Amino acid sequence: MSHQPPVVILARPQMAENIGSAARAMMNCGLSDLRLVNPRDGWPNEAALPMAAGGAEIIRNAQLFDSVAAASHDVSLVLAASARRRDLPIRDADPRTASSLVVEHNGQAALLFGPEASGLDNDEVAQADILVTAALNPDYPSLNLAQAVLLLAWEWRVAMLAANKHAATATPAGPPPSAIAERDYFFQRLEQALDDGGFFTSPEMAPTVKRNIRAMFNRAAPTSQEISTLHGVIQALTKQRKSPDKSG
Amino acid sequence: MSHQPPVVILARPQMAENIGSAARAMMNCGLSDLRLVNPRDGWPNEAALPMAAGGAEIIRNAQLFDSVAAASHDVSLVLAASARRRDLPIRDADPRTASSLVVEHNGQAALLFGPEASGLDNDEVAQADILVTAALNPDYPSLNLAQAVLLLAWEWRVAMLAANKHAATATPAGPPPSAIAERDYFFQRLEQALDDGGFFTSPEMAPTVKRNIRAMFNRAAPTSQEISTLHGVIQALTKQRKSPDKSG
C-alpha cells in the first residue's frame, strides 16, 4: 500500500489561470507533482501563479511534456477523469472507488485531465487504466478543470487518511459532559424556580413538561462549566425586578 | 429523511468571480438556492455570470440578505465551513459526516461560507449547528471559496445518492428543529433578560458568553415546540420577584 500522492497530468490545458487553480487544489490536498502536456498558451505562463496562491511552488516545479505517454513514463496506474462514459473497453469507477485503488496501488499513480472545452479525447482515455466518472448533475456535469482536480485530489486524501490509521483525523476531545448528578441538581433548581413562577399551569402535565425540558438540555450534553453558566442564568433571571409584580 | 439540497449562504463574499464559480459548482452537484450576505462589491455583479457557466440561472436567482440570520430564516440546520477549528463549544464534523447529517436532517439545511480572506468570524460560526473542517494539508488548508463550495456540495451529493439507494430502510423522523430565526429571537430575548438581571458582569466578556450560550442551545437543536417552552421558562423566571432588588 502506497501513500505516495498521485501525480496530476493536465493534457492540453487552455487557461493558465486554471493551471494555477489546479495547483492550489493540489497543495490543499497534499499533492505536489504537476505535469503539463502541450498547454495551449505555452509554459511558463505568468497568469498561473496568482491563482496558485499557496501552491506556487507546484507551478514553479511543473514539468512540460509533449504527450500523455511521455508524462506518464514512471507511472503504473492512470486514472482518466471524464464527465461522460466512453464507448471504450476500459474499466470505470466512481471517484471514491478509484481513490481506494490509488491508495492500494503499489507504485506511482496519475490523475489525468483533459482540456477545458472538450475533455480528454478517446486516444488519451485509451492510455488510462480506469475511467473515472463522477455522478454529477446530469443536466450539467461539466466541472471547471481545477474543480475536477480538487474533487479527485480530495477523494484521494480522504482515502489515504482512512487507510493510514495513524494519520486519521483523531479529533481532540473537548471537556467531558457534566455528571448526571450535576445536571439533576440544576434541573431540580430550574423546576423549583419555574414552579415558583407559575410555569406549570396543569399539574397533570407537569411531569411530562419537566421530562421534555430535561431531555432537551441533555441533548446538548452540557459541560460542568455550562451547567455553572445555566445556574447563573437562573440567578440572573429570577432576581430581575424592574417593576412590582402585580400577581405576587 | 430529506433529499432537498442544502442552500448555500456566502457571507461577505469579496470577488464576484468566486460567486460565479460557486454557482457553477452548485449546479454540478444539483444545488440551486444561493444566498448572499453583504457581498463586498454589491449585487448584481456582472463579473459573476461568465464564471457561472451552466449555473447562470443560480446567479440570476441568488437572493441578497443583510445578515446570516436573515439568510437562514427558513433553515433549521446550518453547517459552517472553516479551515480551522474554533474556541467555541460547537459540534464539529468532517465533510463526510456532516453531509450524512444533512441528508438525515428533516428540514432545510444550509452550507455557510465566509469571505475569501478571513473566513467566517466567530459570531457567524456561533449561529451554526456544526462546524465543518476538512482534513486538508495542514501546510496550506485554505481552499478557494468556490472549491470549498464544491467540496461540500460534492460530499452532500454522494451522501444523498447513497441514501436514495437505502431509502427503504429509512426510519421515521421526529419533529424538525426550529428555524434559525426562531432561535435568534429567543436568544435575543434571553440575552436581554440576562442583561436586565445583571448577568453580564464583564462587558468585554459578554459577547463570548453570549456566543457560548447560543452554541450550547444550538447543540440541542431545539424544536419549535421547545423554543416555545423556553420562552415560557423566561416568562416564568422573570416574573418571579420575591423581594425588591436593592441594585435596581
Side-chain angles (χ1 to χ4, degrees):
Chain A
M1 187 175 296
S2 161
H3 295 172
Q4 188 177 1
V7 307
V8 169
I9 302 173
L10 303 183
R12 303 176 284 122
Q14 299 173 281
M15 306 268 294
E17 291 84 352
N18 287 335
I19 301 172
S21 295
R24 177 175 181 173
M26 290 172 63
M27 183 69 187
N28 290 145
C29 296
L31 285 67
S32 58
D33 189 338
L34 175 61
R35 305 178 183 185
L36 307 174
V37 178
N38 300 328
R40 183 189 66 186
D41 298 335
W43 195 259
N45 187 313
E46 63 183 14
L49 256 178
M51 299 302 288
E57 202 61 23
I58 295 174
I59 290 296
R60 282 190 280 265
N61 294 333
Q63 299 173 74
L64 196 59
F65 295 92
D66 63 6
S67 70
V68 169
S72 316
H73 62 93
D74 57 350
V75 168
S76 49
L77 178 72
V78 174
L79 277 59
S82 174
R84 55 195 165 90
R85 292 232 163 67
R86 310 296 179 108
D87 187 18
L88 286 169
I90 182 173
R91 289 170 70 189
D92 58 38
D94 61 61
R96 206 151 290 180
T97 307
S99 297
S100 298
L101 295 172
V102 169
V103 171
E104 288 161 13
H105 178 68
N106 184 22
Q108 180 66 63
L111 308 176
L112 170 64
F113 301 86
E116 292 90 328
S118 58
L120 294 164
D121 66 32
N122 279 350
D123 285 331
E124 289 161 337
V125 170
Q127 296 180 66
D129 298 275
I130 297 169
L131 184 70
V132 184
T133 307
L136 294 164
N137 182 356
D139 290 340
Y140 188 65
S142 172
L143 290 169
N144 165 275
L145 176 57
Q147 301 274 45
V149 171
L150 176 76
L151 195 159
L152 291 190
W154 164 250
E155 287 287 346
W156 169 78
R157 184 167 184 84
V158 175
M160 178 273 291
L161 291 173
N164 185 353
K165 300 264 172 106
H166 301 297
T169 57
T171 55
S178 49
I180 300 301
E182 287 177 76
R183 297 190 208 177
D184 188 57
Y185 178 73
F186 161 71
F187 291 138
Q188 287 184 34
R189 181 177 173 191
L190 174 62
E191 288 161 5
Q192 184 59 55
L194 289 172
D195 214 12
D196 293 347
F199 180 75
F200 300 110
T201 49
S202 154
E204 314 85 69
M205 287 301 293
T208 303
V209 174
K210 287 177 185 176
R211 272 198 301 273
N212 290 346
I213 289 174
R214 286 181 179 228
M216 187 203 68
F217 278 101
N218 278 332
R219 282 211 311 276
T223 63
S224 288
Q225 177 61 52
E226 287 170 334
I227 291 290
S228 293
T229 301
L230 289 169
H231 278 292
V233 166
I234 295 183
Q235 176 81 10
L237 294 179
T238 54
K239 92 170 182 202
Q240 180 189 14
R241 298 166 194 110
K242 276 182 308 196
S243 63
D245 184 355
K246 44 186 178 295
S247 72
Chain B
M1 184 176 298
S2 162
H3 295 170
Q4 187 178 2
V7 307
V8 170
I9 301 173
L10 303 182
R12 302 177 284 121
Q14 299 173 282
M15 307 268 296
E17 290 83 353
N18 287 335
I19 301 172
S21 296
R24 177 174 180 173
M26 289 172 63
M27 183 68 187
N28 289 145
C29 296
L31 285 67
S32 58
D33 189 339
L34 175 61
R35 304 179 184 185
L36 307 174
V37 178
N38 299 329
R40 184 190 64 185
D41 298 337
W43 195 259
N45 188 314
E46 63 184 13
L49 257 180
M51 299 302 288
E57 202 60 22
I58 294 174
I59 289 296
R60 281 189 281 265
N61 293 335
Q63 299 173 76
L64 194 61
F65 294 93
D66 63 6
S67 70
V68 169
S72 315
H73 62 93
D74 57 348
V75 168
S76 48
L77 178 73
V78 175
L79 277 61
S82 175
R84 57 197 165 86
R85 292 229 167 70
R86 310 297 179 105
D87 187 20
L88 284 171
I90 182 173
R91 289 168 73 186
D92 57 38
D94 61 60
R96 204 149 291 178
T97 305
S99 298
S100 298
L101 294 174
V102 169
V103 171
E104 288 162 14
H105 178 67
N106 182 23
Q108 180 66 64
L111 309 175
L112 170 64
F113 301 87
E116 291 89 330
S118 58
L120 293 166
D121 66 33
N122 277 349
D123 284 328
E124 289 161 338
V125 170
Q127 295 180 64
D129 298 275
I130 298 169
L131 184 70
V132 184
T133 308
L136 294 164
N137 182 355
D139 290 340
Y140 189 64
S142 171
L143 290 169
N144 165 275
L145 176 57
Q147 300 274 44
V149 171
L150 176 77
L151 194 159
L152 291 190
W154 163 250
E155 288 287 346
W156 169 79
R157 185 168 183 84
V158 175
M160 178 273 292
L161 292 172
N164 269 345
K165 283 190 184 162
H166 303 298
T169 63
T171 54
S178 49
I180 301 301
E182 287 176 75
R183 298 189 209 176
D184 189 56
Y185 179 73
F186 161 70
F187 290 138
Q188 287 185 33
R189 182 175 169 191
L190 173 62
E191 288 161 3
Q192 184 58 56
L194 288 172
D195 214 12
D196 294 346
F199 179 77
F200 301 110
T201 48
S202 153
E204 313 86 68
M205 286 302 293
T208 302
V209 174
K210 287 178 184 175
R211 273 198 300 269
N212 290 347
I213 290 174
R214 285 181 179 229
M216 189 204 65
F217 278 101
N218 277 334
R219 282 210 313 273
T223 64
S224 288
Q225 178 60 51
E226 287 170 334
I227 291 289
S228 293
T229 301
L230 289 170
H231 278 291
V233 166
I234 295 181
Q235 177 79 10
L237 294 179
T238 54
K239 99 174 180 197
Q240 189 184 10
R241 298 174 190 106
K242 280 177 297 199
S243 63
D245 185 352
K246 44 186 178 293
S247 72

mmCIF file of all heavy atoms in Angstrom, chain B residues 74-110:
data_model
loop_
_atom_site.group_PDB
_atom_site.id
_atom_site.type_symbol
_atom_site.label_atom_id
_atom_site.label_comp_id
_atom_site.label_asym_id
_atom_site.label_seq_id
_atom_site.Cartn_x
_atom_site.Cartn_y
_atom_site.Cartn_z
ATOM 1 N N ASP B 74 -35.415 30.384 7.053
ATOM 2 C CA ASP B 74 -36.235 29.172 6.907
ATOM 3 C C ASP B 74 -35.394 27.901 7.039
ATOM 4 O O ASP B 74 -35.806 26.829 6.620
ATOM 5 C CB ASP B 74 -36.923 29.182 5.544
ATOM 6 C CG ASP B 74 -35.920 29.302 4.400
ATOM 7 O OD1 ASP B 74 -34.737 29.608 4.672
ATOM 8 O OD2 ASP B 74 -36.308 29.101 3.244
ATOM 9 N N VAL B 75 -34.213 28.052 7.625
ATOM 10 C CA VAL B 75 -33.251 26.951 7.701
ATOM 11 C C VAL B 75 -33.208 26.421 9.126
ATOM 12 O O VAL B 75 -33.265 27.196 10.069
ATOM 13 C CB VAL B 75 -31.844 27.474 7.289
ATOM 14 C CG1 VAL B 75 -30.768 26.465 7.630
ATOM 15 C CG2 VAL B 75 -31.828 27.835 5.818
ATOM 16 N N SER B 76 -33.113 25.106 9.282
ATOM 17 C CA SER B 76 -33.086 24.535 10.638
ATOM 18 C C SER B 76 -31.812 23.745 10.934
ATOM 19 O O SER B 76 -31.701 23.136 11.994
ATOM 20 C CB SER B 76 -34.315 23.663 10.864
ATOM 21 O OG SER B 76 -34.518 22.772 9.797
ATOM 22 N N LEU B 77 -30.873 23.741 9.997
ATOM 23 C CA LEU B 77 -29.562 23.125 10.265
ATOM 24 C C LEU B 77 -28.518 23.891 9.468
ATOM 25 O O LEU B 77 -28.592 23.927 8.244
ATOM 26 C CB LEU B 77 -29.553 21.652 9.836
ATOM 27 C CG LEU B 77 -28.220 20.915 10.035
ATOM 28 C CD1 LEU B 77 -27.961 20.635 11.510
ATOM 29 C CD2 LEU B 77 -28.201 19.602 9.254
ATOM 30 N N VAL B 78 -27.586 24.509 10.177
ATOM 31 C CA VAL B 78 -26.559 25.303 9.500
ATOM 32 C C VAL B 78 -25.194 24.663 9.719
ATOM 33 O O VAL B 78 -24.792 24.401 10.854
ATOM 34 C CB VAL B 78 -26.539 26.760 10.012
ATOM 35 C CG1 VAL B 78 -25.383 27.527 9.379
ATOM 36 C CG2 VAL B 78 -27.861 27.452 9.708
ATOM 37 N N LEU B 79 -24.491 24.406 8.607
ATOM 38 C CA LEU B 79 -23.124 23.894 8.657
ATOM 39 C C LEU B 79 -22.183 25.021 8.263
ATOM 40 O O LEU B 79 -22.284 25.538 7.152
ATOM 41 C CB LEU B 79 -22.949 22.734 7.680
ATOM 42 C CG LEU B 79 -23.392 21.338 8.141
ATOM 43 C CD1 LEU B 79 -24.866 21.309 8.461
ATOM 44 C CD2 LEU B 79 -23.046 20.312 7.088
ATOM 45 N N ALA B 80 -21.290 25.377 9.153
ATOM 46 C CA ALA B 80 -20.341 26.457 8.873
ATOM 47 C C ALA B 80 -19.021 25.842 8.425
ATOM 48 O O ALA B 80 -18.429 25.044 9.142
ATOM 49 C CB ALA B 80 -20.126 27.305 10.118
ATOM 50 N N ALA B 81 -18.576 26.232 7.238
ATOM 51 C CA ALA B 81 -17.316 25.706 6.710
ATOM 52 C C ALA B 81 -16.160 26.555 7.224
ATOM 53 O O ALA B 81 -16.216 27.784 7.178
ATOM 54 C CB ALA B 81 -17.339 25.733 5.185
ATOM 55 N N SER B 82 -15.137 25.891 7.713
ATOM 56 C CA SER B 82 -13.995 26.641 8.234
ATOM 57 C C SER B 82 -12.719 25.850 8.021
ATOM 58 O O SER B 82 -12.695 24.634 8.140
ATOM 59 C CB SER B 82 -14.189 26.915 9.723
ATOM 60 O OG SER B 82 -13.037 27.527 10.259
ATOM 61 N N ALA B 83 -11.643 26.571 7.711
ATOM 62 C CA ALA B 83 -10.352 25.901 7.551
ATOM 63 C C ALA B 83 -9.737 25.572 8.899
ATOM 64 O O ALA B 83 -8.798 24.796 8.973
ATOM 65 C CB ALA B 83 -9.406 26.792 6.750
ATOM 66 N N ARG B 84 -10.286 26.172 9.967
ATOM 67 C CA ARG B 84 -9.669 25.945 11.276
ATOM 68 C C ARG B 84 -10.741 25.730 12.332
ATOM 69 O O ARG B 84 -11.858 26.218 12.226
ATOM 70 C CB ARG B 84 -8.783 27.134 11.658
ATOM 71 C CG ARG B 84 -9.543 28.447 11.658
ATOM 72 C CD ARG B 84 -8.598 29.653 11.631
ATOM 73 N NE ARG B 84 -9.356 30.846 11.273
ATOM 74 C CZ ARG B 84 -10.006 31.603 12.149
ATOM 75 N NH1 ARG B 84 -9.986 31.305 13.425
ATOM 76 N NH2 ARG B 84 -10.693 32.663 11.757
ATOM 77 N N ARG B 85 -10.376 25.007 13.359
ATOM 78 C CA ARG B 85 -11.259 24.818 14.494
ATOM 79 C C ARG B 85 -11.348 26.114 15.266
ATOM 80 O O ARG B 85 -10.484 26.974 15.169
ATOM 81 C CB ARG B 85 -10.723 23.707 15.388
ATOM 82 C CG ARG B 85 -10.797 22.357 14.718
ATOM 83 C CD ARG B 85 -11.438 21.326 15.631
ATOM 84 N NE ARG B 85 -11.792 20.126 14.875
ATOM 85 C CZ ARG B 85 -10.891 19.275 14.380
ATOM 86 N NH1 ARG B 85 -9.607 19.494 14.562
ATOM 87 N NH2 ARG B 85 -11.270 18.210 13.712
ATOM 88 N N ARG B 86 -12.401 26.270 16.065
ATOM 89 C CA ARG B 86 -12.608 27.500 16.819
ATOM 90 C C ARG B 86 -12.701 27.176 18.299
ATOM 91 O O ARG B 86 -13.046 26.074 18.684
ATOM 92 C CB ARG B 86 -13.906 28.188 16.385
ATOM 93 C CG ARG B 86 -14.064 28.366 14.898
ATOM 94 C CD ARG B 86 -12.985 29.261 14.307
ATOM 95 N NE ARG B 86 -13.170 29.375 12.864
ATOM 96 C CZ ARG B 86 -13.671 30.462 12.282
ATOM 97 N NH1 ARG B 86 -14.001 31.504 12.999
ATOM 98 N NH2 ARG B 86 -13.808 30.509 10.972
ATOM 99 N N ASP B 87 -12.432 28.190 19.086
ATOM 100 C CA ASP B 87 -12.580 28.032 20.525
ATOM 101 C C ASP B 87 -14.026 28.339 20.899
ATOM 102 O O ASP B 87 -14.316 29.291 21.606
ATOM 103 C CB ASP B 87 -11.610 28.975 21.237
ATOM 104 C CG ASP B 87 -11.606 28.715 22.726
ATOM 105 O OD1 ASP B 87 -12.031 27.618 23.132
ATOM 106 O OD2 ASP B 87 -11.180 29.600 23.474
ATOM 107 N N LEU B 88 -14.912 27.530 20.373
ATOM 108 C CA LEU B 88 -16.343 27.693 20.628
ATOM 109 C C LEU B 88 -16.912 26.323 20.949
ATOM 110 O O LEU B 88 -16.487 25.338 20.368
ATOM 111 C CB LEU B 88 -17.054 28.215 19.366
ATOM 112 C CG LEU B 88 -16.903 29.676 18.988
ATOM 113 C CD1 LEU B 88 -17.498 29.912 17.606
ATOM 114 C CD2 LEU B 88 -17.579 30.552 20.015
ATOM 115 N N PRO B 89 -17.873 26.278 21.853
ATOM 116 C CA PRO B 89 -18.444 24.966 22.210
ATOM 117 C C PRO B 89 -19.466 24.526 21.169
ATOM 118 O O PRO B 89 -20.662 24.479 21.427
ATOM 119 C CB PRO B 89 -19.098 25.230 23.563
ATOM 120 C CG PRO B 89 -19.483 26.667 23.492
ATOM 121 C CD PRO B 89 -18.454 27.358 22.647
ATOM 122 N N ILE B 90 -18.996 24.217 19.979
ATOM 123 C CA ILE B 90 -19.882 23.855 18.872
ATOM 124 C C ILE B 90 -19.467 22.463 18.391
ATOM 125 O O ILE B 90 -18.296 22.105 18.449
ATOM 126 C CB ILE B 90 -19.788 24.911 17.736
ATOM 127 C CG1 ILE B 90 -20.749 24.589 16.595
ATOM 128 C CG2 ILE B 90 -18.373 25.060 17.229
ATOM 129 C CD1 ILE B 90 -20.801 25.694 15.552
ATOM 130 N N ARG B 91 -20.456 21.681 17.964
ATOM 131 C CA ARG B 91 -20.132 20.364 17.413
ATOM 132 C C ARG B 91 -19.265 20.544 16.186
ATOM 133 O O ARG B 91 -19.489 21.444 15.390
ATOM 134 C CB ARG B 91 -21.406 19.639 16.960
ATOM 135 C CG ARG B 91 -22.292 19.161 18.073
ATOM 136 C CD ARG B 91 -23.630 18.730 17.522
ATOM 137 N NE ARG B 91 -23.559 17.471 16.791
ATOM 138 C CZ ARG B 91 -24.594 16.964 16.118
ATOM 139 N NH1 ARG B 91 -25.733 17.612 16.070
ATOM 140 N NH2 ARG B 91 -24.473 15.824 15.487
ATOM 141 N N ASP B 92 -18.322 19.661 15.984
ATOM 142 C CA ASP B 92 -17.639 19.723 14.686
ATOM 143 C C ASP B 92 -17.705 18.371 13.998
ATOM 144 O O ASP B 92 -18.000 17.348 14.611
ATOM 145 C CB ASP B 92 -16.224 20.288 14.775
ATOM 146 C CG ASP B 92 -15.325 19.533 15.710
ATOM 147 O OD1 ASP B 92 -15.435 18.308 15.754
ATOM 148 O OD2 ASP B 92 -14.500 20.170 16.379
ATOM 149 N N ALA B 93 -17.490 18.424 12.709
ATOM 150 C CA ALA B 93 -17.614 17.212 11.897
ATOM 151 C C ALA B 93 -16.766 17.382 10.656
ATOM 152 O O ALA B 93 -16.535 18.494 10.194
ATOM 153 C CB ALA B 93 -19.067 16.981 11.511
ATOM 154 N N ASP B 94 -16.295 16.263 10.124
ATOM 155 C CA ASP B 94 -15.635 16.330 8.826
ATOM 156 C C ASP B 94 -16.722 16.412 7.737
ATOM 157 O O ASP B 94 -17.893 16.180 8.007
ATOM 158 C CB ASP B 94 -14.711 15.117 8.633
ATOM 159 C CG ASP B 94 -15.476 13.812 8.666
ATOM 160 O OD1 ASP B 94 -16.374 13.613 7.824
ATOM 161 O OD2 ASP B 94 -15.196 12.988 9.540
ATOM 162 N N PRO B 95 -16.337 16.758 6.520
ATOM 163 C CA PRO B 95 -17.353 16.964 5.472
ATOM 164 C C PRO B 95 -18.227 15.734 5.218
ATOM 165 O O PRO B 95 -19.418 15.874 4.931
ATOM 166 C CB PRO B 95 -16.517 17.308 4.236
ATOM 167 C CG PRO B 95 -15.268 17.922 4.782
ATOM 168 C CD PRO B 95 -14.992 17.163 6.058
ATOM 169 N N ARG B 96 -17.657 14.550 5.342
ATOM 170 C CA ARG B 96 -18.430 13.349 5.031
ATOM 171 C C ARG B 96 -19.487 13.101 6.102
ATOM 172 O O ARG B 96 -20.646 12.819 5.796
ATOM 173 C CB ARG B 96 -17.480 12.148 4.885
ATOM 174 C CG ARG B 96 -18.041 11.048 4.033
ATOM 175 C CD ARG B 96 -16.969 10.277 3.289
ATOM 176 N NE ARG B 96 -16.325 11.063 2.254
ATOM 177 C CZ ARG B 96 -15.327 10.619 1.496
ATOM 178 N NH1 ARG B 96 -14.834 9.407 1.683
ATOM 179 N NH2 ARG B 96 -14.817 11.397 0.565
ATOM 180 N N THR B 97 -19.091 13.206 7.355
ATOM 181 C CA THR B 97 -20.046 13.038 8.454
ATOM 182 C C THR B 97 -21.117 14.131 8.397
ATOM 183 O O THR B 97 -22.314 13.861 8.555
ATOM 184 C CB THR B 97 -19.292 13.114 9.798
ATOM 185 O OG1 THR B 97 -18.245 12.158 9.788
ATOM 186 C CG2 THR B 97 -20.225 12.839 10.958
ATOM 187 N N ALA B 98 -20.674 15.360 8.158
ATOM 188 C CA ALA B 98 -21.619 16.473 8.104
ATOM 189 C C ALA B 98 -22.636 16.266 6.984
ATOM 190 O O ALA B 98 -23.827 16.563 7.150
ATOM 191 C CB ALA B 98 -20.857 17.787 7.890
ATOM 192 N N SER B 99 -22.187 15.727 5.861
ATOM 193 C CA SER B 99 -23.102 15.509 4.736
ATOM 194 C C SER B 99 -24.152 14.465 5.086
ATOM 195 O O SER B 99 -25.320 14.579 4.694
ATOM 196 C CB SER B 99 -22.326 15.074 3.500
ATOM 197 O OG SER B 99 -21.444 16.098 3.126
ATOM 198 N N SER B 100 -23.759 13.438 5.833
ATOM 199 C CA SER B 100 -24.749 12.457 6.276
ATOM 200 C C SER B 100 -25.787 13.114 7.163
ATOM 201 O O SER B 100 -26.983 12.822 7.053
ATOM 202 C CB SER B 100 -24.065 11.334 7.060
ATOM 203 O OG SER B 100 -23.154 10.671 6.237
ATOM 204 N N LEU B 101 -25.345 14.027 8.017
ATOM 205 C CA LEU B 101 -26.289 14.721 8.894
ATOM 206 C C LEU B 101 -27.284 15.548 8.073
ATOM 207 O O LEU B 101 -28.469 15.601 8.385
ATOM 208 C CB LEU B 101 -25.538 15.623 9.879
ATOM 209 C CG LEU B 101 -24.673 14.870 10.902
ATOM 210 C CD1 LEU B 101 -23.849 15.858 11.734
ATOM 211 C CD2 LEU B 101 -25.543 14.017 11.823
ATOM 212 N N VAL B 102 -26.791 16.185 7.012
ATOM 213 C CA VAL B 102 -27.684 16.974 6.158
ATOM 214 C C VAL B 102 -28.724 16.067 5.511
ATOM 215 O O VAL B 102 -29.917 16.379 5.477
ATOM 216 C CB VAL B 102 -26.891 17.737 5.077
ATOM 217 C CG1 VAL B 102 -27.831 18.329 4.034
ATOM 218 C CG2 VAL B 102 -26.056 18.840 5.717
ATOM 219 N N VAL B 103 -28.275 14.927 5.024
ATOM 220 C CA VAL B 103 -29.208 14.024 4.342
ATOM 221 C C VAL B 103 -30.221 13.436 5.324
ATOM 222 O O VAL B 103 -31.393 13.249 4.986
ATOM 223 C CB VAL B 103 -28.423 12.909 3.604
ATOM 224 C CG1 VAL B 103 -29.361 11.838 3.075
ATOM 225 C CG2 VAL B 103 -27.620 13.516 2.460
ATOM 226 N N GLU B 104 -29.780 13.186 6.560
ATOM 227 C CA GLU B 104 -30.695 12.637 7.566
ATOM 228 C C GLU B 104 -31.619 13.699 8.150
ATOM 229 O O GLU B 104 -32.617 13.370 8.789
ATOM 230 C CB GLU B 104 -29.895 12.023 8.723
ATOM 231 C CG GLU B 104 -29.215 10.720 8.341
ATOM 232 C CD GLU B 104 -28.097 10.366 9.311
ATOM 233 O OE1 GLU B 104 -28.024 10.982 10.395
ATOM 234 O OE2 GLU B 104 -27.295 9.480 8.970
ATOM 235 N N HIS B 105 -31.273 14.954 7.955
ATOM 236 C CA HIS B 105 -31.999 16.054 8.594
ATOM 237 C C HIS B 105 -33.376 16.227 7.970
ATOM 238 O O HIS B 105 -33.523 16.248 6.760
ATOM 239 C CB HIS B 105 -31.185 17.339 8.428
ATOM 240 C CG HIS B 105 -31.845 18.549 8.995
ATOM 241 N ND1 HIS B 105 -32.040 18.719 10.339
ATOM 242 C CD2 HIS B 105 -32.375 19.634 8.399
ATOM 243 C CE1 HIS B 105 -32.654 19.864 10.548
ATOM 244 N NE2 HIS B 105 -32.868 20.443 9.382
ATOM 245 N N ASN B 106 -34.352 16.369 8.831
ATOM 246 C CA ASN B 106 -35.733 16.531 8.382
ATOM 247 C C ASN B 106 -36.071 18.020 8.332
ATOM 248 O O ASN B 106 -36.725 18.548 9.226
ATOM 249 C CB ASN B 106 -36.653 15.784 9.347
ATOM 250 C CG ASN B 106 -38.098 15.871 8.915
ATOM 251 O OD1 ASN B 106 -38.398 16.093 7.746
ATOM 252 N ND2 ASN B 106 -38.998 15.716 9.875
ATOM 253 N N GLY B 107 -35.617 18.701 7.306
ATOM 254 C CA GLY B 107 -35.845 20.144 7.206
ATOM 255 C C GLY B 107 -34.804 20.749 6.288
ATOM 256 O O GLY B 107 -33.982 20.040 5.719
ATOM 257 N N GLN B 108 -34.855 22.065 6.159
ATOM 258 C CA GLN B 108 -33.943 22.747 5.252
ATOM 259 C C GLN B 108 -32.586 22.945 5.927
ATOM 260 O O GLN B 108 -32.522 23.447 7.044
ATOM 261 C CB GLN B 108 -34.530 24.107 4.857
ATOM 262 C CG GLN B 108 -33.658 24.906 3.914
ATOM 263 C CD GLN B 108 -33.514 24.243 2.553
ATOM 264 O OE1 GLN B 108 -34.479 24.089 1.821
ATOM 265 N NE2 GLN B 108 -32.294 23.813 2.228
ATOM 266 N N ALA B 109 -31.526 22.556 5.239
ATOM 267 C CA ALA B 109 -30.170 22.774 5.750
ATOM 268 C C ALA B 109 -29.480 23.843 4.910
ATOM 269 O O ALA B 109 -29.908 24.153 3.793
ATOM 270 C CB ALA B 109 -29.369 21.479 5.712
ATOM 271 N N ALA B 110 -28.437 24.418 5.475
ATOM 272 C CA ALA B 110 -27.642 25.414 4.750
ATOM 273 C C ALA B 110 -26.159 25.148 4.953
ATOM 274 O O ALA B 110 -25.735 24.707 6.024
ATOM 275 C CB ALA B 110 -27.976 26.826 5.222
#
